[in-house]
Amino acid sequence: MSGESPWWYVRHGHHDRARQSLRRLARKVGFNQRDEDRTMALMIYTNTLEEHIASSPGTSYFDCFRGTDLRRTEIVCMTWIAQTLSGTVVGGLSSYFYVRAGISTQDAYSLSWGQTAIGAAGTITSWFVLNKVGRKTLIVAGGMGIPSSPSLATSWTAGTMILLLSATADFSVGPVVYTIVSEIPSTRLRAKSIVLARNAYNIINVAFVNVISYRQLNPSSWNWGPKACFFWAGFNVIMNVYLWLRLPETKGRTYVDLDILFANKIPARKFASTEIKSLSDQKDLLGGPGGHPSPDVERRADGEKEKTEAIRAVETENVKVG
C-alpha cells in the first residue's frame, strides 16, 4: 500500500521507478514537471555525492561508524537518548505521580485526560513552529522542584507542573526528535542510522529509565515522590550541554547542504550561519580541477545520462560552503 521510497530506487539506479514513486508521494496540486525534474536531479546528485565523500560506498551498519557518518550516527543516537533522559517518563507515569503527590484518584484520573489533550495540542502546534524556530531551539527541557511538606496546595502545584512538563515535552523534545534523526544521517544510511538510534533509546529506556522511575515513585522503594524531578533535571542539564555543543541546526538545509557541511567538519554551532554558495567550486570535496567532479566520479557517471544531467542541474543551485 505504501510503496517504495524514491530514495531507495535512486540508490539502486531505478530512476524511472523513482519518478513514479515521487509522483505518488507528491502533492496533487502545485507539483509540476519542472518540480519533479529538479527533485529528481537533487536526489541523484545527493546520492552521487555521498558515494564519493563516504569512506566506503557501502550501506551496511558498519558504514554508519566510518568517516563523517560516525559523527552523524553519534548525534542521532544521543538525541534520542536525550529524549528519554529528559524526564518525560514522569509524564508517562502521571496518574501514579499525581496520587503519590497527594491528589485524589478521581482528580488524578481527570488530570491524566487533560494531560493527553494538552499533549496532542502541543504536538500539533510543533508542526507549525518547527520550520520557523528550528530543531535545535525546540529540543529543550527543564526541571522542577516541590517542597517536602505535603499540602493540598503543593500537591496541585506538583500536578500542574507535570502538566506543564508534558505540554513542553510534547511540543518540543517529543516530536522534534523524529525530525532530527531523519535529517542528520546521510540519505544512503538513513534507515540504518534510525534503527541504531532507536535501539540506543530502547536500551537506555528499558535498562535504566523504566527501572529508576518506578523505584523513585514507589513508596515501598525509594519513595522520592515529586522530588524525583530533581534527578531528571540533572540529566536535562547534561544533555542540553551536549545538544548545544554537538547538535547542528538543520532548518532550511537540503541533504546536499548537510553532506557538504559534515564533510567539511563544520562545527555544530556554525551550521546555521555557514553560507552555501556553489558546489562546483568545492575542490576539496569533489577533488577535481576547477571544482568539477573528480575523475572517479566522472567514471561512475559515465554512460548514465540522467546522472550527468542531474549533476549539471544541481550545480547551478546555491549549494557550496562559503
Side-chain angles (χ1 to χ4, degrees):
M1 294 291 291
S2 62
E4 188 54 78
S5 165
W7 285 99
W8 187 90
Y9 283 129
V10 168
R11 283 197 298 272
H12 290 79
H14 305 309
H15 296 164
D16 290 338
R17 294 183 182 180
R19 285 181 177 276
Q20 294 174 5
S21 178
L22 187 61
R23 294 189 198 105
R24 181 179 180 183
L25 294 172
R27 59 186 182 274
K28 301 301 181 183
V29 179
F31 188 80
N32 54 34
Q33 185 63 44
R34 186 185 178 201
D35 294 328
E36 179 184 317
D37 292 339
R38 292 182 63 182
T39 303
M40 278 296 302
L42 186 59
M43 292 170 65
I44 296 169
Y45 187 83
T46 301
N47 184 66
T48 304
L49 179 66
E50 289 181 357
E51 285 181 335
H52 178 63
I53 66 178
S55 299
S56 168
T59 56
S60 67
Y61 283 103
F62 186 73
D63 292 309
C64 294
F65 300 95
R66 286 177 165 174
T68 58
D69 288 305
L70 173 61
R71 178 187 176 191
R72 303 171 90 157
T73 302
E74 170 221 320
I75 292 172
V76 296
C77 289
M78 290 300 295
T79 300
W80 228 325
I81 289 175
Q83 183 195 62
T84 192
L85 291 178
S86 67
T88 54
V89 65
V90 178
L93 300 172
S94 58
S95 296
Y96 186 49
F97 181 94
Y98 296 144
V99 174
R100 292 291 304 122
I103 298 175
S104 67
T105 55
Q106 182 61 41
D107 289 335
Y109 179 77
S110 299
L111 283 173
S112 296
W113 272 103
Q115 176 185 324
T116 302
I118 291 173
T123 300
I124 294 173
T125 303
S126 71
W127 302 345
F128 303 97
V129 178
L130 184 61
N131 287 329
K132 296 182 179 297
V133 176
R135 287 82 164 126
K136 189 170 184 175
T137 303
L138 274 183
I139 188 167
V140 293
M144 57 174 280
I146 304 296
S148 58
S149 302
S151 68
L152 182 61
T154 57
S155 297
W156 277 97
T157 299
T160 302
M161 292 298 286
I162 290 301
L163 289 177
L164 180 60
L165 168 69
S166 298
T168 303
D170 289 324
F171 171 72
S172 57
V173 68
V176 177
V177 165
Y178 294 89
T179 300
I180 293 173
V181 300
S182 64
E183 290 180 341
I184 292 295
S186 63
T187 61
R188 294 175 58 79
L189 295 172
R190 183 189 303 151
K192 290 180 172 61
S193 297
I194 292 175
V195 169
L196 290 172
R198 188 61 184 183
N199 280 327
Y201 167 94
N202 289 335
I203 291 171
I204 296 298
N205 203 42
V206 172
F208 179 72
V209 175
N210 288 344
V211 174
I212 292 292
S213 58
Y214 280 106
R215 289 181 177 273
Q216 289 173 337
L217 299 180
N218 195 326
S220 62
S221 188
W222 297 352
N223 195 27
W224 288 7
K227 294 180 181 178
C229 291
F230 284 114
F231 178 84
W232 300 112
F235 272 110
N236 271 328
V237 173
I238 295 172
M239 299 312 297
N240 275 335
V241 170
Y242 170 83
L243 293 172
W244 178 259
L245 296 175
R246 296 292 290 169
L247 178 65
E249 178 57 70
T250 58
K251 182 185 73 171
R253 297 294 193 183
T254 66
Y255 293 122
V256 170
D257 293 343
L258 295 177
D259 288 336
I260 294 170
L261 292 170
F262 276 111
N264 284 274
K265 299 180 180 180
I266 303 298
R269 66 182 183 279
K270 294 184 178 180
F271 260 58
S273 60
T274 298
E275 183 181 358
I276 309 293
K277 289 183 178 178
S278 172
L279 186 61
S280 61
D281 296 328
Q282 191 57 281
K283 298 180 181 180
D284 293 338
L285 187 62
L286 296 179
H292 295 293
S294 67
D296 180 55
V297 173
E298 295 285 3
R299 283 193 296 271
R300 292 184 196 176
D302 186 35
E304 300 180 29
K305 181 179 180 181
E306 187 169 7
K307 183 177 292 186
T308 304
E309 291 176 350
I311 293 175
R312 291 171 179 168
V314 179
E315 282 181 341
T316 61
E317 302 292 332
N318 294 326
V319 285
K320 186 195 174 243
V321 176

